[in-house]
């Protein structure tokens, strides 16, 4: 197999990129009043407009060729049908089965996983109904008021993002909290206003041996027992979600209170599994299933739609276009919806843990750039923080803008103001403002001020995608998340990397385990490099002070 960069399709893209160096989006829109129709797609209530990208019809077809020649179709099928595409860990990758509402069999090692999935969903329904209907009572006979999800990475970010996004659907009898950081501030400040009698802890961890989660879970247990001095009460106040029930039982949680999932669910793709229990408790199981339904419909679109009309494929290809042919290093996620305030944080793990790789599937170093840096925050806040750099800085930053046409709330004016900004920013990025336009707008006396004119010029020609959807419902959110997951898959498939392991997080964990015992004695440490030794010894001095 030639390296990706030596393939004819890649070389055609290199030549094409050179040939359209002077491509100008303003001109493209002026010349083609149908550009929006040509480069936009509708999926249910989601409009995906990608017309403000540095592309022509030829670019799209060359990118689609790249996907075709990368055997993307067969790779998609391999994922959906349970092949062990996470080859370094010999695991299937089946978050799509978790939301397979059609219930068609999905086989792993000759076993249909759908029946296990449905059993766990049924167990989640019974449990969430009981808690939400105040039938699940704590040790002192009181219903649950506060739920604390203790988990980190995929066992935190997905549930926290979705539970926050779906707040308008939340029960007003329950407060859901998320604790992830081993920094005690997180746990202490979360627990401060809570009462053990009415608190339910969910310990969420795929492996159930993650240092941060186990430390937080033990401290939560101590906090609980300080208030309710009865080990038997744990059964009514602690539940666990894990693929390792033996570790849960060892921790002391009642086996009845274990919600299972499986090793073919990656941590960062796990919100669709029982890891989503906190979401289901917050919004109810019907809404959780709507979330699954939205993702399932996006899965069908991804699996069955030709690449040139396939939203996640186009998203993935556009990312590759800027990442590999324009040298863009990052990608901004800019939701004009405060409910999506953790969307970017969630995608940072999904994308960067998946595609932050520098060897290909054969173990060879790649000679091309892989996963982008994902960053961003909701508009309009970001406009008053970092948009300056996107508009007038020296870096090319492709952006995704997302917004609902309808808010869940009804204050006058707010939503139209929000949406006017959602529409204006991509327009400004694309259109820019020329020196002639600046001069025409300046008062007479400033028109010869060359410095002022230069500082007010916006280069424009900056690419973005826009997603406009009806309302942030559970179903629409499910579809949006699934689109991003599949975008990551498309890029990993074309870059020929394993998007489903995360070996890069290991080394730091191993070294922390070496350092921890060194912090617990009074000796001067000299076994590391002089910087690490210096920091350890300074910490020990400061800590004593
Ligand atoms: O950051 C590494 C990682 O393994 C993630 O992939 C995972 O989501 C997170 O740690 C938490 O793992 P667990 O759910 O097993 O506690």
């Amino acid at each position: 197999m030639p390296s990706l960069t030596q393939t004819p399709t890649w070389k055609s893209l290199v030549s094409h990129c050179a040939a359209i160096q002077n491509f100008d989006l303003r001109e493209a829109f002026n010349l083609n009043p149908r550009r929006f129709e040509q480069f936009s797609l509708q999926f249910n209530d989601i409009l995906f407009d990608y017309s403000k990208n540095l592309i022509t019809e030829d670019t799209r077809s060359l990118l689609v060729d790249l996907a075709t020649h990368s055997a993307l179709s067969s790779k998609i099928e391999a994922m959906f049908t349970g092949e062990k595409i996470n080859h370094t860990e010999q695991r299937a990758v089946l978050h799509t089965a978790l939301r397979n509402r059609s219930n068609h069999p999905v086989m792993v090692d000759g076993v249909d996983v759908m029946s296990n999935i449905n059993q766990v969903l049924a167990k989640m329904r019974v449990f969430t109904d009981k808690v939400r209907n105040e039938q699940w009572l704590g040790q002192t006979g009181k219903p649950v008021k506060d739920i604390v999800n203790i988990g980190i990475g995929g066992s935190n970010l997905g549930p926290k993002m979705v539970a926050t996004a779906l707040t308008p659907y939340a029960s007003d009898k329950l407060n859901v909290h998320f604790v992830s950081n081993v920094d005690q501030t997180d746990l202490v400040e979360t627990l401060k206003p809570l009462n053990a009698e009415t608190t339910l802890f969910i310990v969420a961890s795929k492996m159930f041996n993650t240092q941060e989660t186990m430390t937080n879970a033990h401290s939560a247990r101590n906090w609980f027992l300080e208030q309710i001095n009865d080990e038997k009460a744990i059964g009514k106040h602690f539940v666990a979600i894990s693929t390792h029930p033996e570790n849960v039982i060892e921790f002391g949680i009642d086996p009845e209170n274990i919600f299972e999932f499986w090793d073919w669910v990656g941590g960062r793709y796990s919100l669709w599994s029982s890891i989503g229990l906190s979401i289901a408790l917050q919004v109810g199981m019907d809404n959780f299933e709507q979330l699954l339904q939205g993702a399932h419909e996006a899965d069908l679109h991804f699996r069955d739609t030709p690449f040139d009309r396939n939203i996640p494929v186009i998203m993935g290809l556009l990312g590759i276009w800027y990442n590999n042919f324009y040298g863009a290093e990052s990608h901004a996620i800019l939701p004009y919806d405060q409910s999506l305030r953790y969307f970017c944080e969630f995608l940072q793990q999904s994308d960067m843990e998946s595609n932050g790789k520098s060897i290909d599937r054969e173990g060879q170093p790649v000679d091309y750039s892989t996963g982008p840096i994902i960053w961003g925050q909701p508009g309009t806040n970001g406009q008053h923080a970092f948009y300056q750099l996107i508009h007038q800085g020296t870096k090319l930053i492709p952006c995704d803008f997302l917004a609902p046409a309808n808010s869940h709330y009804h204050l006058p004016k707010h939503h139209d103001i929000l949406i006017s900004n959602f529409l204006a920013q991509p327009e400004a990025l694309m259109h820019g403002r020329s020196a002639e336009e600046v001069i025409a707008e300046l008062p007479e006396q400033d028109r010869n001020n060359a410095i002022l004119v230069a500082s007010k010029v916006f280069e424009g020609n900056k690419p973005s995608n826009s997603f406009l959807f009806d309302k942030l419902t559970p179903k629409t959110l499910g579809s949006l998340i699934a689109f991003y997951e599949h975008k990551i898959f498309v890029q990993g498939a074309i870059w020929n990397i394993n998007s489903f392991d995360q070996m890069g997080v290991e080394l730091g964990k191993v070294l922390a385990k070496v350092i921890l015992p060194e912090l617990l004695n009074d000796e001067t440490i000299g076994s590391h490099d002089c910087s690490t030794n210096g920091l350890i010894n300074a910490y020990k001095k400061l800590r004593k002070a």
Side-chain angles (χ1 to χ4, degrees), residues 235-297:
K236 292 187 176 133
H237 293 264
F238 280 78
V239 301
I241 307 163
S242 183
T243 58
H244 282 64
E246 67 289 356
N247 293 355
V248 179
I249 292 165
E250 198 186 313
F251 177 87
I253 290 180
D254 186 344
E256 279 295 302
N257 291 352
I258 301 176
F259 294 83
E260 201 192 348
F261 69 115
W262 307 275
D263 74 355
W264 40 260
V265 185
R268 55 194 173 272
Y269 298 91
S270 64
L271 71 90
W272 319 99
S273 71
S274 52
I275 287 287
L277 188 65
S278 52
I279 304 169
L281 282 161
Q282 157 134 324
V283 299
M285 203 57 196
D286 289 346
N287 282 318
F288 185 72
E289 289 185 354
Q290 278 300 303
L291 182 82
L292 302 183
Q293 179 66 29
H296 174 57
E297 290 179 20

Side-chain angles (χ1 to χ4, degrees), residues 167-337:
T167 301
Y169 298 82
S171 153
D172 50 16
K173 290 187 196 137
L174 291 173
N175 300 309
V176 181
H177 313 264
F178 292 88
V179 170
S180 53
N181 202 330
V182 75
D183 179 348
Q184 58 195 300
T185 310
D186 203 0
L187 185 70
V188 171
E189 291 185 356
T190 302
L191 296 185
K192 208 181 271 176
L194 306 193
N195 176 352
E197 288 179 276
T198 52
T199 300
L200 176 73
F201 290 95
I202 302 175
V203 186
S205 173
K206 182 172 173 183
M207 307 306 291
F208 225 81
N209 62 6
T210 305
Q211 188 186 42
E212 294 91 330
T213 300
M214 290 301 106
T215 307
N216 277 324
H218 277 105
S219 297
R221 197 172 185 272
N222 293 341
W223 172 88
F224 176 80
L225 290 173
E226 274 162 23
Q227 292 182 52
I228 298 182
N229 188 11
D230 182 355
E231 290 269 346
K232 286 200 291 301
I234 297 285
K236 292 187 176 133
H237 293 264
F238 280 78
V239 301
I241 307 163
S242 183
T243 58
H244 282 64
E246 67 289 356
N247 293 355
V248 179
I249 292 165
E250 198 186 313
F251 177 87
I253 290 180
D254 186 344
E256 279 295 302
N257 291 352
I258 301 176
F259 294 83
E260 201 192 348
F261 69 115
W262 307 275
D263 74 355
W264 40 260
V265 185
R268 55 194 173 272
Y269 298 91
S270 64
L271 71 90
W272 319 99
S273 71
S274 52
I275 287 287
L277 188 65
S278 52
I279 304 169
L281 282 161
Q282 157 134 324
V283 299
M285 203 57 196
D286 289 346
N287 282 318
F288 185 72
E289 289 185 354
Q290 278 300 303
L291 182 82
L292 302 183
Q293 179 66 29
H296 174 57
E297 290 179 20
D299 291 344
L300 297 178
H301 167 88
F302 179 51
R303 199 172 175 182
D304 299 336
T305 310
F307 292 162
D308 60 353
R309 282 181 280 128
N310 190 315
I311 294 176
V313 171
I314 297 286
M315 289 166 73
L317 290 173
L318 288 169
I320 286 182
W321 182 231
Y322 297 117
N323 189 67
N324 296 99
F325 298 92
Y326 282 79
E329 299 233 305
S330 76
H331 191 113
I333 304 291
L334 309 169
Y336 279 65
D337 187 332

Side-chain angles (χ1 to χ4, degrees), residues 335-382:
Y336 279 65
D337 187 332
Q338 186 64 13
S339 325
L340 287 175
R341 59 189 171 278
Y342 298 122
F343 195 56
C344 178
E345 210 178 302
F346 163 74
L347 288 180
Q348 284 180 327
Q349 187 200 14
S350 314
D351 204 321
M352 293 163 81
E353 200 165 85
S354 295
N355 285 343
K357 310 286 163 65
S358 53
I359 56 154
D360 65 18
R361 293 180 65 86
E362 287 73 46
Q364 298 304 313
V366 295
D367 61 355
Y368 41 88
S369 173
T370 59
I373 300 157
I374 301 291
W375 64 288
Q377 61 160 294
T380 56
N381 294 1

Side-chain angles (χ1 to χ4, degrees), residues 24 63 106 114 129 131 138 141 145 215 225 232 282-283 301 312 332 335 351 354 362 368 387 458 497 507 538:
D24 187 307
L63 286 168
V106 179
M114 290 314 300
D129 282 353
V131 174
K145 282 195 186 145
T215 307
L225 290 173
K232 286 200 291 301
Q282 157 134 324
V283 299
H301 167 88
D351 204 321
S354 295
E362 287 73 46
Y368 41 88
Y387 278 38
F458 283 55
I497 55 181
L507 181 59

